[in-house]
Amino acid sequence: MSYSKNLILESIEYFCEIDKILKNEEWMNVKGYEGFYQVSDLGRVKSLSNNNKKKEKILSPYYCEGDYLCVYLFKKGKRKRFRIHQLVSITFLNHIPCGYNLVVNHKNFIRNDNRKTNLEIVTQRENANIKHLIYTYKYT
């Protein structure tokens, strides 16, 4: 009996903690999609309401190649796919996509953790550096 009460208390504390985190979430306009979409420092993307026809809505991401989270953004009837970590890095870290010269790295190696604090801009060489990887090939 006391075990189930402790689980309830723990889950309430967990949700209170999440609520605190979400209240401190910072939202900024997606570059090139100002007034239509915003991205947060926690890696969430939302569409903004316009003309009272559409309400503000958090977009549901999906997994694209390489286990990255992606969303589609629409502008002038055309859709374009973006990786969420790219949107966060462009918006909050002032990253300018430049091919493979500078890339976005997930510090904790979890590709779907798109928080601003988990992302960094590194060179392609640094990103592929053997000491940078969690595991290494034994013959390298």
Side-chain angles (χ1 to χ4, degrees):
M1 188 80 156
S2 64
Y3 179 70
S4 63
K5 287 181 183 177
N6 288 342
L7 282 178
I8 293 170
L9 289 176
E10 288 174 6
S11 64
I12 289 172
E13 290 173 3
Y14 173 76
F15 287 116
C16 288
E17 193 66 31
I18 288 179
D19 194 38
K20 286 180 195 174
I21 291 169
L22 293 179
K23 283 182 182 176
N24 294 330
E25 190 172 17
E26 181 184 353
W27 291 92
M28 291 181 68
N29 287 323
V30 175
K31 292 182 182 176
Y33 292 84
E34 291 85 356
F36 296 104
Y37 296 97
Q38 287 185 336
V39 65
S40 80
D41 60 341
L42 298 179
R44 300 192 312 159
V45 182
K46 70 179 175 180
S47 63
L48 301 176
S49 61
N50 49 3
N51 299 335
N52 295 329
K53 294 179 182 176
K54 190 172 85 171
K55 293 184 179 180
E56 222 174 70
K57 177 184 167 186
I58 303 290
L59 301 181
S60 297
Y62 67 94
Y63 284 98
C64 55
E65 73 274 344
D67 294 332
Y68 292 108
L69 289 175
C70 296
V71 291
Y72 280 109
L73 302 184
F74 292 85
K75 185 176 175 183
K76 297 181 182 178
K78 295 185 178 181
R79 77 177 187 170
K80 188 171 180 182
R81 183 181 74 185
F82 289 93
R83 292 179 177 172
I84 294 177
H85 70 276
Q86 289 284 350
L87 291 176
V88 173
S89 66
I90 290 168
T91 305
F92 289 98
L93 303 177
N94 296 321
H95 174 59
I96 299 171
C98 54
Y100 291 105
N101 294 334
L102 294 174
V103 296
V104 181
N105 178 45
H106 292 85
K107 294 177 186 176
N108 65 0
F109 303 103
I110 301 172
R111 291 180 174 180
N112 59 9
D113 184 1
N114 296 313
R115 294 172 294 139
K116 175 181 78 169
T117 56
N118 184 45
L119 301 177
E120 64 182 350
I121 309 300
V122 296
T123 64
Q124 177 67 28
R125 184 178 184 107
E126 289 172 335
N127 199 33
N129 194 348
I130 200 71
K131 65 183 177 187
H132 184 266
L133 300 176
I134 294 175
Y135 52 88
T136 60
Y137 189 59
K138 67 179 182 178
Y139 297 111
T140 304

